[in-house]
């Protein structure tokens, strides 16, 4: 039995991780579960999973969590430091399913004690990839990707001979607006943007999928997880989301991982690694699907992917600025304070106004993230 902690247990990824825990009694003992503010949801999940510790980031949710856990014997805590405490508790595996750069400090807390991480929280790698990977090398922490594309690459990557890899090709569904003109995109609603054709996900990543920023963040994530160099990363649109990504080798062979689009496949792979366990996911029926389509992404129609690519090439603090501005812009769109097309405009203007420089440590990342959020907030207000 291995001890397991889930950071962001009440979200889309967190709930799917808990589903796997419930289906595999005796495999994992749940150590800690965390949430932002959904105290009733967290308490119910902690009771059902037999967790030892539950924490909410929002201090205002503390009384509700205490009340909901009364008599359960489950320890409860609140505040951002309590999320780090959850990450520091002795779990063999920590699933990082918090959305956004809010996951950075708890991720580093888990890495520092050498835990194995099943990483869904891509924004943490985007804003602080070098800091996280250096800390993992120092502590011996293993970083296992849960993001379906990176999990696919991980499964077919020759880890012993990365120099034999000529290209990593990330697939992108293209999102709900794949065939829409930019003029029509000006009028889309939050509900339209969150109606993903293939995946059911949290609101922020659904919007990121619609802008293709999700694929941009994933390029940066891939750069930190697989040491092949920026020029060997590529993106192809594949609307069916059956081929989850590919690795091309120097001899021209291309290895891919395929499966039905269900996050429980990559989650199970990372949570049980190095074992492979059964999941309830539907089997892939290629005869029924019939056709798999591929097309080049249109970087002019939706510029977020290009912005991310440029930030990756610029390096240093540019990806952190990109990520922070995107978090602010997407939150403004979800709150009805910005239009869909304002998102790339806000990110682009923020990148133009804050000069990128080198980043060496966590404090620098935190300062750059804060400065970029302030600038992006001003940019969003100017457009409102
Ligand atoms: P979600 O919005 O459904 O859930 C987010 C979780 O994080 C919730 O438990 C929430 O309570 C918690 N949280 C939010 N803000 C917090 C804060 N400030 N402090 C502490 N906890 C906080 O999001 P999701 O769709 O599950 O995505 C989670 C992460 O996984 C994201 O980084 C996303 O990009 C990545 N991811 C998701 C999917 C998917 O299918 N949903 C696929 C690949 C990668
Ligand atoms: Mg993905």
């Amino acid at each position: 039995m291995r001890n397991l902690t889930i950071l962001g247990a009440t979200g889309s990824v967190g709930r799917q991780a808990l589903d796997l825990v419930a289906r595999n009694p005796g495999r994992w003992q749940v150590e800690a579960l965390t949430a932002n503010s959904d105290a009733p949801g967290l308490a119910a999940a902690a009771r059902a999973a037999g967790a030892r510790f539950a924490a909410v980031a929002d201090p205002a949710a503390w009384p509700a969590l205490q009340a909901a856990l009364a008599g359960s014997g489950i320890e409860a805590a609140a505040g951002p430091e309590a999320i780090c405490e959850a990450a520091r508790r002795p779990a063999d595996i920590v699933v990082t399913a918090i959305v956004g750069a809010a996951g950075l400090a708890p991720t580093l807390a888990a890495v520092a004690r050498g835990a194995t991480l099943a990483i869904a929280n891509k924004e943490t790698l985007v804003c602080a990839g070098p800091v996280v990977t250096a800390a993992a090398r120092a502590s011996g922490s293993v970083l296992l990707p849960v993001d379906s594309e990176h999990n696919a690459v991980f499964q077919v990557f020759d880890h012993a001979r990365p120099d034999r890899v000529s290209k990593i090709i990330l697939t992108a569904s293209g999102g709900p607006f794949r065939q829409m003109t930019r003029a029509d995109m000006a009028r889309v609603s939050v509900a339209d943007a969150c109606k993903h054709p293939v995946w059911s996900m949290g609101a922020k990543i659904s919007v990121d999928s619609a802008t293709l920023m999700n694929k941009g963040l994933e390029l940066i994530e891939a750069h930190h997880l697989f040491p092949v160099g920026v020029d060997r990363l590529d993106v192809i649109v594949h609307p069916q989301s059956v081929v989850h990504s590919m690795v091309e080798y120097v001899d021209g062979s291309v290895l891919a991982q395929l499966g039905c689009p269900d996050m429980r496949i990559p989650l199970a792979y990372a949570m049980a690694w190095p074992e492979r366990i059964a999941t309830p996911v539907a089997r892939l029926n290629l005869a029924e699907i019939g056709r798999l389509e591929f097309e080049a992404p249109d970087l002019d129609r939706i510029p977020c992917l290009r912005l991310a690519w440029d930030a990756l090439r610029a390096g240093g603090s540019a990806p952190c600025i990109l990520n922070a501005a995107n978090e602010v812009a997407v939150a403004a769109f979800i709150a009805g304070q910005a239009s869909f097309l304002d998102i790339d405009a806000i990110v682009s203007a923020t990148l133009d106004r804050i000069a990128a420089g080198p980043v060496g440590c966590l404090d620098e990342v935190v300062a750059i993230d804060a400065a970029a959020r302030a600038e992006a907030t001003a940019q969003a207000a100017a457009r409102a």
Side-chain angles (χ1 to χ4, degrees):
M1 189 105 130
R2 295 206 283 169
N3 269 15
L4 177 109
T5 283
I6 304 172
L7 306 174
T10 54
S12 165
V13 171
R15 288 194 310 270
Q16 294 180 82
L18 282 167
D19 177 72
L20 290 171
V21 171
R23 288 172 190 274
N24 291 274
R27 179 169 288 275
W28 297 290
Q29 161 65 48
V30 174
E31 179 64 35
L33 299 180
T34 78
N36 187 24
S37 56
D38 177 9
L42 179 67
R47 283 176 182 271
R52 298 181 173 129
F53 182 81
V56 279
D58 179 1
W62 168 233
L65 183 65
Q66 267 185 314
L69 286 177
S72 67
I74 301 167
E75 217 180 306
E81 177 48 34
I83 307 297
C84 291
E85 188 189 338
R88 276 193 292 269
R89 290 178 69 105
D92 307 297
I93 308 151
V94 178
V95 180
T96 70
I98 291 174
V99 59
L104 178 55
T107 297
L108 283 171
V111 167
R113 62 173 182 78
T116 294
L117 265 66
I119 300 188
N121 176 216
K122 67 190 82 183
E123 295 90 347
T124 280
L125 284 173
V126 172
C127 73
V131 177
V132 175
T133 51
R137 277 193 300 276
S139 70
S141 177
V142 178
L143 307 181
L144 301 169
V146 167
D147 212 348
S148 56
E149 297 77 3
H150 306 73
N151 188 268
V153 171
F154 188 87
Q155 292 197 38
V156 296
F157 193 84
D158 189 341
H159 299 273
R161 283 180 295 175
D163 61 314
R164 303 291 85 192
V165 170
S166 52
K167 214 190 259 182
I168 289 176
I169 307 159
L170 301 180
T171 52
S173 72
F177 309 142
R178 186 169 61 89
Q179 288 164 322
M180 199 182 264
T181 63
R182 199 159 163 85
D184 287 338
M185 275 187 266
R187 287 180 292 275
V188 299
S189 69
V190 176
D192 295 333
C194 289
K195 231 181 281 151
H196 196 277
V198 186
W199 298 94
S200 160
M201 309 180 287
K204 195 259 177 182
I205 183 174
S206 296
V207 175
D208 284 346
S209 296
T211 60
L212 284 188
M213 182 59 93
N214 183 50
K215 214 47 55 180
L217 301 177
E218 290 183 356
L219 272 176
I220 301 169
E221 182 185 13
H223 169 70
H224 295 302
L225 290 171
F226 306 105
V228 299
V230 178
D231 294 333
R232 294 185 184 184
L233 298 176
D234 210 350
V235 170
I236 190 156
V237 174
H238 165 45
Q240 290 81 14
S241 294
V242 163
V243 177
H244 295 303
S245 280
M246 299 172 258
V247 175
E248 181 196 272
Y249 287 89
V250 288
D251 63 356
S253 295
V254 178
L255 303 194
Q257 184 258 355
L258 286 70
C260 286
D262 187 313
M263 285 306 291
R264 290 174 300 181
I265 295 178
L267 268 169
Y269 187 88
M271 286 163 65
W273 184 86
E275 265 189 73
R276 226 180 242 283
I277 59 168
T279 74
V281 177
R283 302 296 102 155
L284 188 59
N285 185 337
L286 286 173
E288 202 168 86
I289 294 166
R291 284 173 64 87
L292 295 180
E293 295 160 303
F294 299 91
E295 66 194 36
D298 183 347
L299 301 187
D300 296 324
R301 204 171 49 88
I302 314 188
C304 281
L305 178 55
R306 189 196 300 281
L307 291 172
W309 219 307
D310 291 346
L312 173 58
R313 289 209 178 89
S317 59
C320 179
I321 298 166
L322 171 98
N323 178 68
N326 183 58
E327 286 193 33
V328 169
V330 172
F333 172 64
I334 290 173
Q337 291 154 1
S339 77
F340 185 73
L341 294 185
D342 282 337
I343 298 173
D344 62 67
I346 291 167
V347 174
S348 176
T350 304
L351 283 161
D352 285 345
R353 294 188 58 118
I354 299 187
V359 221
C361 64
L362 177 61
D363 289 348
E364 283 171 1
V365 172
V366 170
I368 292 158
D369 176 84
R373 277 170 206 272
E375 179 60 39
T377 303
Q379 292 293 336
R383 277 172 175 74

